[in-house]
Amino acid sequence: MPELATTESVQFEARRGPYIMIPYCPQNGTEQHEALINLYFRLKSEGLDKVVFHENPGITLLEFMNFFSSPKCLLQVMALMSGNDMMDICGMAWLADITECGGALRKATGSFLFFKDYQKRAYTGPLSEIIFDYWFNVLNIDTLVGLTPALNRAASIFVKSMGMNEICRIPQYTTFEGIVCDGIVSHLTKQAYLAGQGVDSSKPTLH
């Protein structure tokens, strides 16, 4: 399996039990680009590209790489470890539309993807905890927003299970599997997360 990065080539990584989260750093060169290419083709092979990029189900490799190389998008890769060996990639998470509001507020839109072998709660729970901890405590996001197609029921259930609160539904706002549907807007604040209303705040933070 191609390495995502070496410890020396990334600014941050977090490990909790057998799982590790590594930020994607496009400036680290061809090794990182190869990892992104592999992620794209795994998405395609599992048919998940149409689920994640539901408004652009025919996303090309170039579009995929440009999206995750944008300074407005921060990608994190989740993997399963055995000792110091990376056994498999479990999924991806990313922040988009990262906005600084005059130094008073930092907000972003968050997204998750788990590959098919890792979509059970036994995997998604601990992996999501690592990601939320990273977003709120390392990247210092104050307000996190999510947009889920109402027709994607599995994603809607997952979002609620992670403590995000549904704010509203925007009629006929997005598409899923080629069908126009409502968009479910949900959010979680750093304050709520730290108060234990999202991910369990009694768990140790990343280090």
Side-chain angles (χ1 to χ4, degrees):
M1 176 180 298
E3 293 285 342
L4 279 169
T6 63
T7 302
E8 293 77 19
S9 69
V10 296
Q11 296 178 346
F12 182 91
E13 65 178 30
R15 184 164 181 176
R16 183 174 292 165
Y19 306 110
I20 193 169
M21 183 280 297
I22 304 175
Y24 171 69
C25 303
Q27 67 271 25
N28 284 338
T30 56
E31 182 180 85
Q32 292 290 298
H33 293 315
E34 182 183 359
L36 199 57
I37 292 170
N38 290 338
L39 287 171
Y40 173 80
F41 283 109
R42 181 157 177 184
L43 277 174
K44 296 282 285 186
S45 69
E46 296 193 8
L48 295 174
D49 54 319
K50 299 176 182 179
V51 176
V52 177
F53 297 96
H54 50 89
E55 293 183 343
N56 183 19
I59 187 170
T60 66
L61 175 60
L62 180 59
E63 290 172 330
F64 182 85
M65 295 187 72
N66 285 341
F67 178 77
F68 287 116
S69 297
S70 166
K72 283 283 187 178
C73 180
L74 296 178
L75 170 65
Q76 300 86 45
V77 178
M78 299 170 279
L80 178 66
M81 304 290 290
S82 177
N84 293 323
D85 297 325
M86 186 180 295
M87 304 304 294
D88 197 11
I89 303 300
C90 303
M92 309 154 53
W94 60 96
L95 293 176
D97 303 318
I98 302 167
T99 305
E100 298 278 357
C101 301
L105 178 71
R106 195 174 199 213
K107 62 182 181 179
T109 301
S111 299
F112 283 88
L113 161 79
F114 299 98
F115 291 115
K116 288 186 175 180
D117 288 341
Y118 302 97
Q119 292 181 354
K120 294 182 180 180
R121 181 65 180 172
Y123 298 111
T124 63
L127 289 168
S128 300
E129 290 177 9
I130 298 175
I131 294 297
F132 274 146
D133 210 352
Y134 178 65
W135 286 351
F136 288 120
N137 289 325
V138 178
L139 298 181
N140 293 316
I141 298 299
D142 296 300
T143 299
L144 179 69
V145 174
L147 177 66
T148 309
L151 291 178
N152 189 344
R153 295 181 180 178
S156 298
I157 292 171
F158 168 75
V159 167
K160 290 180 180 179
S161 74
M162 293 313 300
M164 295 192 71
N165 302 303
E166 181 178 328
I167 301 303
C168 67
R169 296 193 176 209
I170 306 175
Q172 298 186 348
Y173 185 75
T174 188
T175 58
F176 186 71
E177 297 182 341
I179 302 172
V180 177
C181 64
D182 296 352
I184 302 174
V185 180
S186 56
H187 100 308
L188 181 64
T189 65
K190 182 177 183 178
Q191 183 179 11
Y193 167 80
L194 293 177
Q197 297 175 18
V199 176
D200 186 355
S201 60
S202 67
K203 296 185 180 294
T205 55
L206 300 179
H207 58 279

